[in-house]
Amino acid sequence: MKHEYLETSVWFKEKITDPYQIIAAFFDAADIAHHRKIIKNILQVACSDRCWKKQEPGHLIYEFSLLESVINAAWVLDQEKKTDPLYINPEDVFNPNLFVGWHGKLTKWDFLPRSLSYKEFANPYRVFKRFFRFQDISNWKEQLQLLMDYSLRSMNLLELEDIRPLSLYFQLTKLVEAAHLIDVREVNHVGGHVKNRISKRRL
C-alpha cells in the first residue's frame, strides 16, 4: 500500500508500520482531555488577532506534530477499511470498559466522547471515513499548516473566505475521540510496555 501521507507530511515524516502504535503514542504523550483542550485553544487563537502565548512556540509545533501523526494513522486505517471488532448494544454505551482510558487522574466524564453519535461510538472507524470525506489528507495537511501559521501570528483566520473554523473543530475533535476509543478497546501496550504500568509522561 502506498503511504501517500508522506508526500504531504509537514512534521511527521516516518513511514507507519503499525498505526495502532501511533495512536497509542499519541495518548501516551497526553490524555484525551488535553488533546481536546489543545484543539479548542488552537482554533480560538487562530480565529483572533492574538498569537499563541500559552507555551513557547516549539511546544505548539510539537502539538501539531502529534496531531498530524494521528491523522496519518487514521488515514492508514481508513485505507485498510478497518472496522470495530466489537458489537456494542445501545445499553452498553456507558460501560466504562468501552471508553475509560488508563490515565489515572481523569474521571469517566473526562474520557467520555461527547462529539460522537451512537453509531460512531459503536464503530469509531466511521469517523475516519467521514473525516477524509470532509477533505482529503493533502488538504488536511494544508489546514494544519494554516492553523499553526495563524496561531503564531497576530492574524485572524476568519479573514479567509473558505475557512470553516467550527467544522474544523468538530472534525478534529471527533477524530481524536474516535482514536481514543480505538486505543482503549484495541491497544494494550505502548512500545511493548503495558499501558497501566507506563510512567505518566504528561505534557
Side-chain angles (χ1 to χ4, degrees), residues 87-96 98-99 118 121-122:
Y87 178 76
I88 299 173
N89 293 310
E91 58 268 23
D92 293 330
V93 294
F94 293 112
N95 181 341
L98 297 176
F99 65 88
Y118 162 69
F121 179 87

Side-chain angles (χ1 to χ4, degrees), residues 163-181:
I163 293 296
R164 294 176 286 171
L166 280 178
S167 294
L168 292 179
Y169 170 77
F170 283 116
Q171 290 289 334
L172 289 169
T173 301
K174 285 166 74 76
L175 178 87
V176 167
E177 290 188 340
H180 165 72
L181 293 179

Side-chain angles (χ1 to χ4, degrees), residues 24-31 34-35 62 66 102-103 201-203:
F26 180 73
F27 290 107
D28 182 36
D31 57 53
H34 174 89
H35 289 304
Y62 174 66
L66 287 176
W102 55 270
H103 299 85
R201 298 193 295 275
R202 305 297 294 276
L203 294 179

Side-chain angles (χ1 to χ4, degrees), residues 1 11 24 63 85 128 132 135 157 166 171 192:
M1 181 179 66
W11 304 280
E63 296 284 1
F128 296 169
F132 294 111
Q135 59 184 0
L157 193 65
L166 280 178
Q171 290 289 334

